[in-house]
Structure formats: C-alpha cells, structure tokens
Amino acid sequence: MFDLDGKVALITGGAKGQGAAEARLFSEHGARVMIADVREDEARVVAGQISNCDYVRLDVGDEAGWKAAVEKTLGRFGRLDVLVNNAAISHFSPIEETSLADFDRVMRINLGGIFLGMRTVLPALRAHGGSIINISSIAALTGRARLSAYASSKWAVRGLSRSAALEFAPHKIRVNSIIPGVIDTPMTREAYGSEKLQLRGEALPMGRVGLPQDIANLALFLASDESSFCTGGEYLCDGGETAGIA
C-alpha cells in the first residue's frame, strides 16, 4: 500500500520536523524527493541521508525562489507529482503588541508561501495530475490568544486549499490539507519548552504528544494513489484534542 514508485515530491520545510519525516518516508516508499528549505545547510545534511533525494534553498515567500525550486526539481528528476507545503513560522504576542510588519511576515510565509507554491507547480502537475498537501493547524479551528497572526494564516490555508481543490480538480490535481495538533517539532519545543510540551501531550485523550511521523504517515496516504478520490478534504491529526469541540 501507499506506493510512491515513480513519483517526485517537492517538500517545503524539509530540513526539520514534519518535512524531514515526510521526505524520509516518501523515499522509503519509492518517491524521489526534493527538499526545499531556507536552512540550506540543514537541508543538505538531511538530503544526504535519504535515497533519491536532493535539496534546494527556498524562501517560500519569494516568487522567484519558487520558480527556481520547481525548475531544479524538474531538471533533476524530470517531473513533479506531489507538493507538500510544510514551511511556516509562528509569532506570539497580543494583537495590541503585534506590528503590521509582524503580521505581514507570518502571512507572507504561512499563506503566501502556499499560494505561490500551488500556483508555481500547477503547470508541471497539470501534465499528468498530482497531489498537493497543505499543512494547516488546530489553531485554524478555534481562536488563539497571543497567536492572532498565526491562527489567521492557518484559517486562511483551509479556505485557500478548498478553493484550489475546486479549481484544480479538472486537471486531476488533488488538494487536501492536514490539520496537526501538538506535534513534537523544533518549532513547538521552542514555543512551549520540553516540559510543558510533555504535559500537554499527557493531557490529550491519546495520552501523548504527536510525532512528526504521525503527520508523515497521513501525508503519505494523501500523496499516494490510494487517496485518488480525496480532494478538498481536511484531515485532523491531533490525538483527540478537538474531539469535544462542537
């Protein structure tokens, strides 16, 4: 199951966390992978540990950077079948203390990066169909104090993904979003600290914090032909945290 043999995947934010886990898993299931990340040195190391994998430096908020990343992927592997938009940043502050520059930066990366990515890969995927997987967040299901910019961007990812699913379906391109809960990544450890992160996990119905592999497993399904009738979907992976929310 979940055979990616012959497929080529471009994964943003692939140098760490969920993106790195997806790159490893996709390669294990036969895909050729291009890791795209602004952290070029770390991306190089991860790519060197994975079979049939290369890397490219990419600031997802940069239009020219996206064009170069897709061109390198096509030049290196000859095609493109899957795009996984992981790259994101967070910003903690009350609305009153959030500058417009802070807000714009979060939106440029978290939302603009996904918009640019989908628009840029469209010609390559339109040739034979494919799958786009956008990473949202449980912050896109409720309000989040001190996370207004981040939550706003992730709410918008849901709307953008659904709209793209309708537009791209005639080209046999599927667009779905994953909604992770609390996942043990460098970004969440930096935000919460290891001790608080563990306590949050213990308080979840499943009794543990999520792992990057949990998100990678779900992304693998959505990248594969086993999900060929799935588009416009939102796939929750949060250990039951939001199960009681109406």
Side-chain angles (χ1 to χ4, degrees):
M1 291 183 66
F2 308 142
D3 181 13
L4 299 185
D5 188 46
K7 296 186 185 297
V8 174
L10 173 60
I11 301 176
T12 72
K16 289 184 177 181
Q18 294 169 182
E22 290 157 0
R24 292 187 176 94
L25 187 63
F26 283 21
S27 174
E28 290 170 5
H29 285 259
R32 292 168 289 169
V33 179
M34 181 67 73
I35 291 175
D37 204 299
V38 71
R39 298 176 293 259
E40 187 173 6
D41 291 341
E42 295 173 62
R44 181 187 299 111
V45 171
V46 173
Q49 299 169 346
I50 300 172
S51 299
N52 296 315
C53 185
D54 203 347
Y55 73 93
V56 61
R57 186 189 185 282
L58 174 63
D59 171 357
V60 296
D62 177 54
E63 187 171 5
W66 265 109
K67 182 179 179 181
V70 171
E71 287 178 349
K72 180 172 181 177
T73 303
L74 295 175
R76 174 74 167 79
F77 297 120
R79 59 184 289 150
L80 180 58
D81 303 90
V82 179
L83 170 65
V84 188
N85 282 309
N86 287 286
I89 59 173
S90 61
H91 180 81
F92 288 84
S93 69
I95 291 174
E96 185 178 20
E97 298 174 12
T98 301
S99 70
L100 180 59
D102 292 333
F103 190 87
D104 285 347
R105 179 170 179 264
V106 173
M107 296 299 285
R108 182 180 73 87
I109 299 298
N110 296 6
L111 179 62
I114 289 178
F115 166 77
L116 288 172
M118 291 196 299
R119 193 182 69 180
T120 307
V121 304
L122 180 58
L125 268 61
R126 188 159 44 201
H128 44 69
S131 174
I132 297 174
I133 304 159
N134 297 327
I135 307 301
S136 183
S137 166
I138 56 170
L141 300 179
T142 64
R144 294 280 164 154
R146 297 178 58 84
L147 272 175
S148 58
Y150 179 81
S152 296
S153 70
K154 293 300 187 178
W155 273 92
V157 167
R158 295 176 61 196
L160 179 60
S161 299
R162 288 190 176 200
S163 297
L166 296 175
E167 289 190 21
F168 294 0
H171 306 297
K172 308 303 180 187
I173 300 169
R174 300 178 292 108
V175 184
N176 294 285
S177 59
I178 294 177
I179 303 179
V182 182
I183 308 298
D184 189 355
T185 65
M187 188 168 76
T188 53
R189 282 184 174 270
E190 181 180 349
Y192 297 108
S194 298
E195 184 176 350
K196 185 175 180 180
L197 188 62
Q198 181 178 347
L199 292 174
R200 284 202 64 184
E202 292 172 354
L204 295 176
M206 293 297 290
R208 67 171 177 88
V209 71
L211 302 175
Q213 191 69 29
D214 294 316
I215 305 303
N217 290 337
L218 187 48
L220 174 64
F221 166 69
L222 293 173
S224 73
D225 292 340
E226 278 76 9
S227 61
S228 63
F229 200 54
C230 300
T231 196
E234 298 176 337
Y235 295 83
L236 191 62
C237 186
D238 71 346
E241 181 172 359
T242 60
I245 298 176

